[in-house]
Amino acid sequence: MNRRQLLASSAAIALLPGSASANTDTFKQFHTALERDPTLAVLANMVGERAGDAIVKGRIPADLDGVFFRNGPGRFELGGERYHHWFDGDGFAQRWQISQGKVSHRGKFVATQKFIDESEAGQFLYPGFGTQITRRGIKGNDTMNAANTNLLPFGGRLYALWEGGSAIELDPRTLDTVGIRTWRDDLKSMPFSAHPKIDQDGSMWNFGGLPGAGRLAVYHIGADGTLLAAGAVQVPQLAMVHDFVISGQHLVFLVPPYDLLADTSLSYAERHAWAGSGVAARPMRAVVVSKATLQLRQVFELDPHLVFHFGNAFDDGQTTRFDAVLHGGGALASFGALMRGERAGNLDEPSFTAQITLDYASGKAQQVRLFGNSEFPRVMPQSVGRRHRKLAVLSSAARNAEHILDTVNLVDTDTGKGDSFRFDAGWLAEEHVLVPRRNARSETDGYLLGVVQDARRGDTLLSVFDAAHVADGPLALARLGYRTPICFHGNFLPT
């Protein structure tokens, strides 16, 4: 992929000017709802920094020592306005220090150019994923970079990741913003997804969606941070692709059937028109790219679904098998209700975790339901790209409840059975990650580590489970004396 192709692709996804949307109604609706239901504070606006020590109930294992980095949207309101979509908020990076049985916490906003400009102006200036605001011109993708989706330690550095622009480097100790990370001069401001995968050799694979150009940019970065390769794969009718998965030989993307509308008065999310139903329904496509060449190998068709997150993939003879959480097409817009303070109703098509097998010889894809309504799948880091048999997911005890996740599960991918624990009523579970013990001998030889929100008390807690005995409940809960924003994703860095 040469410089001209890269820059043309990058420019193609910039959101074009439209009229600024009035967001005061969303602000008023949310705060009226918050007065009736204080537990909605988990989605309230965050201002300033947070720092403090946690009170530990139970026992933090002595061999669990390191930093749990987390990231998610924190600033939803400014100048009396509120974003329309959960994904729009400015990134609030967090570090949970775990050492000698004690836990401390620090949280700080990522000082992107967007955050700085809008803080100085006292109002939102630039478009978000689901809120179309164009009070100031856009110079490039990083003008809109919210840096709000993942926090990745890699190669001795720490990166706050978004989806439509560059990685933003932070100081791993203070969380101070260092600046934009450009992997190569001609990759400046290119989309760099929030879901890179760390291969067994320590290198990183990632991609960037270029829907305006119908391309997926692909990156391979060495463990020392050197760009090893970059390429572009043509994918017609490309819309939002949020995540992907790697096996030993392949990169696999699932492309949902959306049409990207040309109406630039709409937000990027609103421009996604579902094309997976009706007489002219299109399938979801599995796009397989060779790691060796960064070229398209094969495309498969599956039942129409939206995918946010994958679990893991591995090659098995002439097939590739992987896990993904599948949603109905309406899931993309469903988060808007949360920003208004409305409890999102049950969707017509609840999510579920599926096992998918791609058969290269026959060209056919097979999909099997593995687990009920769920999200945020993770595997042990030593299993990435290899055969795995354990998958951590969150779920809800309430039938069909898409956004109220209160149960952690470690699912056996051969049987579909879950080793599960449900938190108390009024608690909300965030993504939990698997952390191996040193020299771990199995996928359950370690810990399940995550964050939960006690909405009734307005506190945030770190939770630690024995991965082999999840149903027994947390080994420890470390409670902060304050609330932090709900995070999307993060990673544990052992000492």
Side-chain angles (χ1 to χ4, degrees):
M1 185 164 59
N2 62 37
R3 180 181 176 87
R4 179 176 298 176
Q5 288 174 314
L6 286 167
L7 296 180
S9 297
S10 181
I13 71 156
L15 300 180
L16 300 177
S19 59
S21 299
N23 303 296
T24 53
D25 288 346
T26 305
F27 180 95
K28 293 175 182 177
Q29 289 170 354
F30 177 80
H31 285 275
T32 298
L34 182 61
E35 290 180 3
R36 297 193 306 265
D37 182 2
T39 64
L40 287 171
V42 295
L43 292 168
N45 190 53
M46 178 66 65
V47 178
E49 302 178 8
R50 295 289 186 274
D53 296 327
I55 298 174
V56 178
K57 180 180 179 181
R59 183 183 64 83
I60 302 286
D63 61 345
L64 184 61
D65 198 291
V67 181
F68 188 29
F69 291 106
R70 301 280 291 153
N71 193 8
R75 182 164 75 176
F76 301 112
E77 299 170 2
L78 192 61
E81 295 181 334
R82 182 174 171 86
Y83 280 132
H84 294 174
H85 202 287
W86 190 11
F87 297 176
D88 292 340
D90 292 287
F92 190 80
Q94 302 182 48
R95 74 185 307 278
W96 296 79
Q97 178 77 54
I98 306 171
S99 180
Q100 299 180 345
K102 298 180 180 179
V103 177
S104 61
H105 172 269
R106 177 182 295 273
K108 183 179 293 187
F109 280 102
V110 183
T112 62
Q113 192 60 52
K114 171 186 179 298
F115 184 83
I116 293 170
D117 289 351
E118 293 180 337
S119 296
E120 291 176 349
Q123 63 177 176
F124 294 128
L125 302 173
Y126 306 115
F129 175 78
T131 312
Q132 182 67 338
I133 303 171
T134 52
R135 294 190 171 105
R136 186 174 294 181
I138 300 167
K139 295 180 180 180
N141 296 331
D142 283 332
T143 302
M144 306 171 289
N145 194 334
N148 68 1
T149 311
N150 201 353
L151 205 55
L152 176 75
F154 177 73
R157 300 173 184 266
L158 180 67
Y159 300 105
L161 303 178
W162 186 45
E163 184 162 299
S166 304
I168 307 293
E169 185 177 349
L170 307 183
D171 184 298
R173 184 180 60 85
T174 65
L175 299 181
D176 289 343
T177 300
V178 176
I180 290 173
R181 179 65 155 96
T182 299
W183 306 103
R184 197 172 67 195
D185 288 346
D186 59 346
L187 295 175
K188 185 178 181 180
S189 294
M190 280 287 290
F192 191 80
S193 104
H195 286 286
K197 302 295 184 263
I198 308 303
D199 217 331
Q200 296 302 319
D201 63 359
S203 66
M204 178 203 299
W205 295 90
N206 205 2
F207 76 99
L210 306 164
R215 289 178 181 154
L216 288 170
V218 181
Y219 314 104
H220 189 201
I221 298 168
D224 62 354
T226 301
L227 181 71
L228 302 177
V233 179
Q234 197 73 34
V235 182
Q237 296 178 308
L238 179 67
M240 187 191 80
V241 175
H242 179 68
D243 193 4
F244 76 126
V245 73
I246 67 172
S247 66
Q249 302 177 51
H250 304 104
L251 316 176
V252 181
F253 305 86
L254 288 179
V255 181
Y258 283 103
D259 289 323
L260 193 60
L261 304 179
D263 185 354
T264 57
S265 68
L266 302 175
S267 70
Y268 182 60
E270 292 167 333
R271 290 171 59 193
H272 282 71
W274 182 246
S277 57
V279 177
R282 297 202 307 270
M284 177 173 65
R285 289 169 288 161
V287 175
V288 182
V289 175
S290 166
K291 281 170 135 182
T293 65
L294 300 190
Q295 298 296 311
L296 178 68
R297 174 175 179 179
Q298 204 159 334
V299 178
F300 298 82
E301 293 187 350
L302 290 144
D303 292 341
H305 285 97
L306 165 65
V307 176
F308 289 115
H309 302 120
F310 289 82
N312 187 43
F314 61 94
D315 298 313
D316 185 8
Q318 289 301 306
T319 67
T320 297
R321 298 166 59 187
F322 63 94
D323 335 284
V325 178
L326 305 183
H327 296 261
L332 192 61
S334 65
F335 297 96
L338 295 174
M339 288 293 96
R340 297 188 299 271
E342 299 171 6
R343 299 293 187 184
N346 295 338
L347 298 177
D348 293 337
E349 193 174 353
S351 66
F352 63 96
T353 299
Q355 285 185 323
I356 297 172
T357 301
L358 308 178
D359 188 319
Y360 297 107
S362 69
K364 301 293 185 182
Q366 181 183 12
Q367 171 188 305
V368 176
R369 185 184 181 96
L370 176 65
F371 198 76
N373 94 72
S374 46
E375 248 304 347
F376 299 111
R378 296 292 294 254
V379 295
M380 279 288 190
Q382 69 268 27
S383 297
V384 173
R386 298 177 175 178
R387 177 71 166 96
H388 65 289
R389 290 181 171 82
K390 299 295 181 180
L391 183 70
V393 296
L394 299 184
S395 65
S396 173
R399 186 176 181 272
N400 293 345
E402 288 286 309
H403 306 315
I404 305 172
L405 302 171
D406 58 11
T407 306
V408 295
N409 313 271
L410 193 61
V411 178
D412 187 306
T413 59
D414 291 329
T415 66
K417 293 182 179 179
D419 182 11
S420 307
F421 176 83
R422 180 187 178 187
F423 286 98
D424 292 336
W427 289 46
L428 186 149
E430 299 181 17
E431 174 194 60
H432 279 56
V433 306
L434 286 160
V435 178
R437 292 187 179 93
R438 191 180 300 274
N439 302 317
R441 297 182 179 181
S442 73
E443 293 176 72
T444 57
D445 189 5
Y447 305 103
L448 190 58
L449 178 66
V451 172
V452 289
Q453 302 281 346
D454 181 352
R456 292 185 174 180
R457 288 181 54 175
D459 287 346
T460 300
L461 303 88
L462 183 80
S463 58
V464 182
F465 293 83
D466 183 336
H469 303 284
V470 176
D472 291 347
L475 297 172
L477 288 170
R479 182 184 290 270
L480 299 175
Y482 51 85
R483 178 187 71 85
T484 68
I486 298 173
C487 288
F488 289 145
H489 303 290
N491 299 276
F492 183 77
L493 180 66
T495 298

